[in-house]
Amino acid sequence: MNKKIIVTGGCGYIGSHTVIELIKNNFQVVIFDDLSNSSQDTIGRIESITGVRPVFEQVDLKDVNHTSQVILKHKNAFGVIHFAAHKAVGESVQKPLDYYQNNLYSLLNTLKAQHENGIQNFIFSSSATVYGNPKSLPITENNQTQRPFSPYGNTKKMAEEILEDFSKAYTDFSAISLRYFNPIGAHESGEIGELPNGIPNNLMPYITQTAAGIREKLMVFGNDYDTTDGTPIRDYIHVVDLAKAHVKALFRLIENKQEQALETFNLGTGNGFSVMEVIESFERVSGIKLNYEIVGRRPGDVPQLFAATDLAHHKLGWKAELGLDEMIDSAWRWEQKYRATTTAK
Ligand code: WQD
């Protein structure tokens, strides 16, 4: 029987792309989602892409009793891939209590329910934001993590510390934390993609919504950084490459290759691109002249972030394959297809 995997937040952006890769690798998938920042019609979109409809459980993981009941129902699962979290950096600064409650209660309740039911494997959706402003580049997994600038980032750092303690205490429990750099793009079908609620915080959806006429212009937050063209550099990674890394991490757990209780891996391409380079790539790929204005810096932004990718390559046998133009082309196709089928929010 194919191994069952519980995917929390599986109706979300990265979760849904990962569900597709899991189904393609013959895993049985159960999605847990509270639909607070996603839509149930993603389930149908996953089915139209893969021909398989994942099981769906609507559950608020902050509800400890309901979480225990639903995990008991799926106690034969091999493991959990945990995406469920709020992730808007700016919003977390405004509403820290919401973020600590949602992101940490969800994690703790899931771990507690897994422990009660003997589900011993866990993959965690973490973020390069745990590195703060790195002292050296490219960033390796041994780079000193720092106090992240936002409550959102701090929930990720705290979660990793919780996982480390949990894995040390319960030696049969294995966990892998995947530190994402900047996920962008969408599935080639144009059926699923990033769906930010309200005004996008992140660069890519803001660019595509500007090009689609939903936003008047892109504000470029500063061009006075110590970088090639003065705009900040990030390691953008295609969401499908990112999704594939989760399957590789799962196989590492299945094959019991772990060398320590909690392993952490950077998921990036190892290449950094500036904001202006992303804009230039978008204009080249779409043929559209983007309306943008250089404005002041955004608080909390760091000049450069890009990953050392050796550890994920050697231990997971994974390397990002898709380039910036492909990421941007897929993001733009998703925006056009989504807008053509729905009204703007
Ligand atoms: C990228 C660059 C901005 C918007 C965040 C989180 C990180 C992860 C990814 C969740 C920066 C510039 C952006 C705009 C701009 N999220 N920009 N105008 O800040 O690197 O990372 O999202 O896991 O945890 O910290 O990504 O896309 O917001 O910004 O000029 O309207 O684009 O200044 O240099 P970021 P981003």
Side-chain angles (χ1 to χ4, degrees):
M1 188 66 173
N2 298 335
K3 291 190 186 314
K4 178 189 279 189
I5 307 298
I6 294 167
V7 180
T8 72
C11 286
Y13 173 43
I14 301 168
S16 56
H17 285 85
T18 301
V19 167
I20 288 170
E21 297 306 320
L22 289 168
I23 291 171
K24 280 166 63 177
N25 281 273
N26 297 319
F27 289 101
Q28 265 192 80
V29 175
V30 179
I31 290 177
F32 287 10
D33 207 303
D34 66 359
L35 303 178
S36 63
N37 191 20
S38 57
S39 158
Q40 193 170 346
D41 84 334
T42 300
I43 306 281
R45 291 167 182 264
I46 291 170
E47 184 178 16
S48 70
I49 291 168
T50 63
V52 174
R53 188 175 186 83
V55 171
F56 173 64
E57 303 279 5
Q58 183 161 356
V59 55
D60 176 355
L61 297 174
K62 293 193 295 299
D63 177 335
V64 62
N65 296 324
H66 190 206
T67 301
S68 288
Q69 284 160 13
V70 183
I71 287 213
L72 173 63
K73 181 178 167 189
H74 297 284
K75 69 179 295 172
N76 64 340
F78 170 80
V80 170
I81 305 182
H82 186 62
F83 294 100
H86 291 167
K87 61 165 189 170
V89 171
E91 184 185 54
S92 78
V93 174
Q94 310 303 327
K95 303 176 180 173
L97 182 58
D98 291 5
Y99 270 68
Y100 285 113
Q101 273 190 323
N102 184 72
N103 292 5
L104 296 181
Y105 284 7
S106 298
L107 172 72
L108 290 166
N109 292 342
T110 302
L111 292 176
K112 177 180 178 297
Q114 280 191 240
H115 187 60
E116 287 163 356
N117 290 283
I119 302 176
Q120 303 287 26
N121 296 286
F122 192 84
I123 294 174
F124 179 60
S125 166
S126 189
S127 168
T129 198
V130 302
Y131 295 114
N133 188 359
K135 292 187 171 49
S136 61
L137 288 164
I139 301 174
T140 70
E141 288 80 356
N142 302 321
N143 267 52
Q144 180 63 34
T145 57
Q146 300 173 39
R147 176 66 161 84
F149 296 110
S150 69
Y152 157 76
N154 208 30
T155 67
K156 293 298 184 182
K157 186 166 184 298
M158 292 166 81
E160 288 189 345
E161 291 163 355
I162 291 166
L163 282 172
E164 191 159 17
D165 290 345
F166 197 86
S167 311
K168 283 177 184 165
Y170 306 116
T171 49
D172 292 341
F173 181 83
S174 300
I176 290 179
S177 181
L178 300 175
R179 292 174 176 170
Y180 309 158
F181 279 67
N182 287 64
I184 63 171
H187 189 265
E188 61 189 2
S189 65
E191 281 298 308
I192 58 171
E194 192 168 6
L195 261 182
N197 271 340
I199 301 173
N201 295 294
N202 296 137
L203 178 65
M204 200 66 242
Y206 209 105
I207 286 178
T208 56
Q209 288 191 16
T210 300
I214 294 157
R215 308 290 160 203
E216 194 246 330
K217 65 180 162 185
L218 169 74
M219 305 292 190
V220 174
F221 297 135
N223 67 348
D224 58 350
Y225 287 91
D226 182 16
T227 61
T228 41
D229 59 25
T231 60
I233 288 172
R234 294 290 183 273
D235 185 336
Y236 299 96
I237 176 169
H238 199 298
V239 67
V240 172
D241 273 331
L242 197 69
K244 289 179 176 175
H246 290 73
V247 177
K248 291 286 192 180
L250 191 54
F251 279 119
R252 182 168 175 83
L253 293 173
I254 291 168
E255 292 152 16
N256 216 359
K257 288 186 173 170
Q258 275 214 299
E259 292 152 15
Q260 57 204 43
L262 170 67
E263 292 186 320
T264 55
F265 297 100
N266 286 340
L267 297 184
T269 65
N271 304 313
F273 289 102
S274 72
V275 174
M276 288 314 299
E277 286 171 323
V278 173
I279 291 171
E280 284 148 17
S281 173
F282 179 81
E283 292 183 333
R284 180 171 61 250
V285 160
S286 65
I288 291 172
K289 184 89 184 76
L290 192 73
N291 185 15
Y292 68 87
E293 179 187 349
I294 309 283
V295 296
R297 293 184 175 192
R298 177 172 69 174
D301 274 341
V302 298
Q304 297 195 48
L305 278 177
F306 54 92
T309 57
D310 311 327
L311 199 62
H313 190 208
H314 296 152
K315 303 284 187 186
L316 300 182
W318 170 88
K319 200 156 178 58
E321 295 166 351
L322 299 168
L324 184 64
D325 284 3
E326 289 160 293
M327 298 179 209
I328 289 175
D329 179 53
S330 66
W332 179 227
R333 280 192 290 110
W334 156 247
E335 182 72 57
Q336 290 173 291
K337 188 160 183 182
Y338 178 74
R339 295 301 163 200
T341 55
T342 59
T343 50
K345 281 191 178 180

